[in-house]
Amino acid sequence: MLEDYAEQFFKALCKQIGEDETREGLKHTAQRISQSYQNLLDGYAQSPTEVLGSVFTQGACDEMIVLKKMPFYSMCEHHLLPFFGHISIGYLPDKKIAGISGLARVAEIFTHRLQIQENLTAQIADCLLNELMPKGVMVVCEARHLCLEMRGKQRQSSIITSALRGLFKKDSRTRTEFMQLIKD
């Protein structure tokens, strides 16, 4: 079904810009577009709760757990152009901990949806807050946006967003410790 839409879109685009969609280099472009978007946007078909995986009560600690600068790619919901960078996630467990790969999978679910960076950061933090019920969660996302860099004035810059919940919001020492841990 997505393949049919991609083909219709691609034919209309080529006609609009004066391109021949039947030329050799473009013959299979509609199928490649369809396959790309199926992969790039597969986060809708998965549940963040399920991909978090096993949550453990045994071994829950009272120290910060950090996933530092995980690379990601996402699609801007306003322009359907990529934005990409890295995400750092930290949380202070209360009674539950998740596997580190579960943290990465949760982030990936949300990055594989049409997004704006501000919502992406908040969705990851809120999911972990709801599922793990930690003392605090902090997510920092730094990204380059091709919708900014390729259009208009073509400015290259990084956008940084953060979401703070619980102790990270209330206690500046906790925030500072996290920021020190994710520094280069």
Side-chain angles (χ1 to χ4, degrees), residues 4-169:
D4 293 336
Y5 289 118
E7 189 170 332
Q8 292 170 18
F9 165 77
F10 186 66
K11 282 182 180 182
L13 175 67
C14 287
K15 183 177 181 181
Q16 185 68 34
I17 64 173
E19 179 60 85
D20 176 12
E21 85 271 359
T22 64
R23 73 175 171 84
E24 184 180 22
L26 299 177
K27 281 184 183 175
H28 301 289
T29 298
Q31 293 90 347
R32 288 190 291 269
I33 290 170
S34 174
Q35 290 169 352
S36 291
Y37 276 94
Q38 286 176 20
N39 178 261
L40 294 170
L41 300 174
D42 66 358
Y44 292 104
Q46 301 174 63
S47 160
T49 302
E50 289 175 15
V51 301
L52 186 58
S54 298
V55 174
F56 306 97
T57 54
Q58 192 173 47
C61 60
D62 194 24
E63 303 297 328
M64 194 177 303
I65 297 171
V66 176
L67 173 63
K68 180 180 175 178
K69 296 190 178 183
M70 182 190 87
F72 81 92
Y73 301 86
S74 194
M75 295 293 287
C76 167
E77 67 184 37
H78 297 146
H79 304 99
L80 292 184
L81 289 171
F83 66 98
F84 58 94
H86 55 265
I87 296 171
S88 295
I89 301 169
Y91 74 101
L92 288 164
D94 187 10
K95 295 181 174 97
K96 299 178 187 177
I97 59 170
I100 295 297
S101 64
L103 297 178
R105 287 191 301 268
V106 165
E108 188 172 82
I109 290 291
F110 290 114
T111 62
H112 283 218
R113 296 178 179 184
L114 295 176
Q115 281 290 7
I116 61 173
Q117 185 174 333
E118 299 87 340
N119 287 346
L120 170 63
T121 309
Q123 288 168 347
I124 295 167
D126 291 340
C127 176
L128 296 175
L129 187 68
N130 292 334
E131 295 304 317
L132 299 177
M133 295 178 275
K135 296 174 186 173
V137 176
M138 186 166 174
V139 178
V140 173
C141 179
E142 183 173 353
R144 289 179 51 196
H145 292 250
L146 293 187
C147 56
L148 175 65
E149 294 182 22
M150 294 174 68
R151 300 174 38 251
K153 301 288 184 191
Q154 299 179 345
R155 295 181 178 100
Q156 182 177 340
S157 60
S158 290
I159 307 299
I160 300 171
T161 54
S162 65
L164 294 80
R165 307 291 186 265
L167 282 178
F168 287 97
K169 193 168 197 139

